[in-house]
Amino acid sequence: MNYEINMHLNDIAVIRLFGELDHHETEKIRTHISKTILQGNLTTIIWNLERLNFMDSSGIGLILGRMRELSAVDGQTLILNPSNTMKKIFQFSGLASFMMEGTEADAILHARGIVNG
C-alpha cells in the first residue's frame, strides 16, 4: 500500500502518499476517499506528498477530482510538501494557491483558519 489516510475529528482527512503514485494506486485511493466524502462529514483533505517520489497524470486527476467532490460541500484541499518537480506541475495546473510547506499539524491549523505568527 502506497498511502495512509488519517482522520482528524471526522472532518479532516490527511492522506500520506509514498513512493510512486500510478494509475493502479490512484484507483484504490479514489474509491476509499470518495466513500469518505460521500458520508458527508469531510470538509478538508490534506495531501501530504513529502514522501512521494513520482506521480503521473492520474495523480493530478485524483487530487482535482476530490477537489470537485469537496466543492459540493464547500470543502477545501491543501497540498502539503510537494517536491520541486510536483510544484511546477501543480502551478501549471492552476493549483499553486493550494500548496503549502510545513507539518501536518500546521496544515490542520491552517485548514481550521488558525494562523500562527
Side-chain angles (χ1 to χ4, degrees), residues 50-96:
E50 187 171 34
R51 294 174 51 201
L52 186 65
N53 302 323
F54 171 81
M55 173 173 30
D56 67 13
S57 61
S58 65
I60 300 289
L62 172 71
I63 293 173
L64 286 171
R66 288 346 86 211
M67 288 175 82
R68 271 193 300 277
E69 289 178 357
L70 273 178
S71 70
V73 294
D74 292 323
Q76 64 181 328
T77 300
L78 290 172
I79 302 168
L80 187 62
N81 302 320
S83 70
N84 287 333
T85 303
M86 285 182 233
K87 280 181 192 174
K88 290 177 186 170
I89 294 167
F90 289 127
Q91 287 168 343
F92 291 136
S93 302
L95 301 176

Side-chain angles (χ1 to χ4, degrees), residues 20-65:
E20 298 187 359
L21 180 63
D22 58 18
H23 178 73
H24 181 69
E25 283 297 315
T26 298
E27 287 303 314
K28 288 193 272 185
I29 298 168
R30 176 179 292 123
T31 301
H32 189 154
I33 200 65
S34 290
K35 281 183 196 171
T36 305
I37 292 170
L38 290 173
Q39 289 170 354
N41 297 324
L42 193 61
T43 61
T44 302
I45 296 177
I46 298 168
W47 299 91
N48 188 344
L49 308 184
E50 187 171 34
R51 294 174 51 201
L52 186 65
N53 302 323
F54 171 81
M55 173 173 30
D56 67 13
S57 61
S58 65
I60 300 289
L62 172 71
I63 293 173
L64 286 171

